Amino acid sequence: MEVSLIILAALVVVGAALYFHDRYTRRKAPADEPPYEEPEEQCCGMHITCERDSLLASVSDSVEYYDDEELDAYRGRKADSYTDEEIEQFRDVLLTLLPDDIAGWGRSIQLRGIELPEPVREELLMIVAEARKSRT
């Protein structure tokens, strides 16, 4: 019982000392010095992984085709103007891609100026999010 009281007292003393040290060092900080800011997010160093999971077209400027040249006919169309058959055409391409090619296909579609139909876009985002989740 005495040992646990001694350990508890030591923890309280150390906690109080750290608290007062922190308050003292913050008060002594020069006024002209900017407050601490988080460093900007840098690349993790795993460029292939980061780029593979990214849907941003700015990551890679090269257009890559995934046996989907027929989708170029939809360039410039709005996402809400597709018929059910056209939506199925996009879905068929999406569902036949290899898992590692899905994010690249999304970037390729963006670079080619094609707006995905809303249901297919949601499926694409869900698949990429699940792939990211499974890698972490």
Side-chain angles (χ1 to χ4, degrees):
M1 179 73 173
E2 288 179 25
V3 172
S4 60
L5 287 176
I6 292 172
I7 292 173
L8 180 63
L11 285 173
V12 169
V13 168
V14 168
L18 289 172
Y19 172 77
F20 288 116
H21 174 70
D22 183 58
R23 289 195 62 184
Y24 175 74
T25 56
R26 286 188 186 190
R27 189 177 309 149
K28 281 188 78 176
D32 61 336
E33 183 177 306
Y36 175 75
E37 295 179 10
E38 291 289 325
E40 290 184 26
E41 187 175 325
Q42 297 177 353
C43 184
C44 64
M46 296 175 26
H47 301 296
I48 294 172
T49 303
C50 295
E51 193 169 314
R52 180 177 61 209
D53 289 344
S54 177
L55 290 174
L56 300 175
S58 62
V59 173
S60 174
D61 291 335
S62 62
V63 174
E64 188 173 338
Y65 284 89
Y66 296 85
D67 290 331
D68 63 345
E69 292 81 7
E70 69 276 5
L71 298 180
D72 283 342
Y74 303 118
R75 183 176 288 139
R77 296 238 337 240
K78 296 291 182 192
D80 58 354
S81 68
Y82 293 107
T83 66
D84 290 339
E85 293 81 24
E86 293 168 339
I87 292 172
E88 280 304 312
Q89 190 176 9
F90 279 95
R91 186 174 284 127
D92 286 343
V93 172
L94 174 63
L95 297 178
T96 57
L97 291 169
L98 295 173
D100 289 341
D101 290 340
I102 292 176
W105 179 72
R107 285 191 307 272
S108 173
I109 290 291
Q110 286 178 351
L111 289 170
R112 289 158 50 191
I114 302 170
E115 282 191 42
L116 287 173
E118 198 64 33
V120 176
R121 187 172 66 87
E122 290 174 9
E123 291 171 16
L124 172 70
L125 294 173
M126 183 182 66
I127 291 170
V128 170
E130 286 178 3
R132 285 181 186 156
K133 191 177 190 181
S134 70
R135 284 191 179 100
T136 57

